[in-house]
Amino acid sequence: MLLTRLSALLALAGAATAHFTLDYPPSRAFNEDDEVNAPCGGAAASTTRTPFPLGDGFIRLTSTHEPFNILVLISFVDNPTDIKNFTFTPSGEAQAPVRDFFQVTMDDVCIGVDIGAIGYANATDGARATIAIQYQGGDSNLYQCADVILASNATIPSNITCNNEYTVTTAGASPTGSPSGSSSPSASATSSRNGAEQMTVGLGFGGVLLALLGAALF
Ligand SMILES: *[C@@H]1O[C@H](CO)[C@@H](O)[C@H](O)[C@H]1NC(C)=O
Ligand SMILES: *[C@@H]1O[C@H](CO)[C@@H](O)[C@H](O)[C@H]1NC(C)=O
Ligand SMILES: *[C@@H]1O[C@H](CO)[C@@H](O)[C@H](O)[C@H]1NC(C)=O
Ligand SMILES: *[C@@H]1O[C@H](CO)[C@@H](O)[C@H](O)[C@H]1NC(C)=O
Ligand SMILES: [Cu+2]
């Protein structure tokens, strides 16, 4: 009885999550139920690749959880299917993220990236790459990927707009972010190597679960 109510509640909690969408560069595919699957939310490689700036650029996404934590990774292997293809080179060396975990407090954002500034050996003009977003909004890790061709002359279409941009303020392996623009002056972003914010969000969700359980028990 209790177990039945518990699993019904957990199912409800799962159904209530709308997760996030990767809007630009275009996601391989979005399937809400599969979004938990690393590294690409269950999506197969795209048949077309989006030209993406090798230098200053951004990723646009829409979140249904606030705040959330985001990690931006890149892989230079052809059709990466394992998260390790984004965190290690084929020869087994650790590969830096494009943006290390940091907290975002708004739902409709652009995440600034500068892939060429990080020093990846394979980030050359015309390189084929896959960008992966790992997202932590309080339920579990969620993933989306975009298949791109890096190009120094690529530009992001002008109809891809940014309401809130977390720009790259420090070029390098672990850039920190800060929102620009006057729309949300109170927002802040911090970089975190140890995922501390991730735990905070997780506790928040645990609290909600506990409250739900309490409601079920009493
Ligand atoms: C990237 O470049 C390095 C050094 O040139 C090379 O060893 C590696 O195999 C390349 N490929 C990927 C997918 O990283
Ligand atoms: C992708 O990662 C898996 C797991 O580490 C590894 O077995 C595979 O060789 C990698 N693929 C490439 C092309 O490096
Ligand atoms: C970028 O450069 C490549 C190769 O030089 C060229 O084929 C392509 O048309 C250029 N794209 C843009 C958007 O200028
Ligand atoms: C932007 O414009 C292109 C055509 O230039 C169109 O295919 C695309 O759907 C537009 N995207 C948005 C988000 O409006
Ligand atoms: Cu969710």
Side-chain angles (χ1 to χ4, degrees), residues 1 14 21 31 33 45 48 52 125 136 160 168 171 179 184 186 188-189 199:
M1 175 61 186
T21 56
N31 180 314
D33 292 338
T48 57
F52 191 82
D125 205 4
Q136 240 281 342
I160 307 299
V168 178
S184 278
S186 64
S188 67
M199 288 181 66

Side-chain angles (χ1 to χ4, degrees), residues 51-97:
F52 191 82
L54 183 54
D56 195 29
F58 62 79
I59 287 156
R60 190 188 194 292
L61 55 90
T62 307
S63 170
T64 58
H65 302 277
E66 297 168 74
F68 63 91
N69 293 288
I70 186 176
L71 171 68
V72 182
L73 300 169
I74 193 165
S75 175
F76 298 95
V77 315
D78 213 35
N79 190 19
T81 52
D82 190 299
I83 195 75
K84 290 201 175 80
N85 300 142
F86 293 85
T87 53
F88 292 94
T89 66
S91 46
E93 287 156 352
Q95 181 172 284

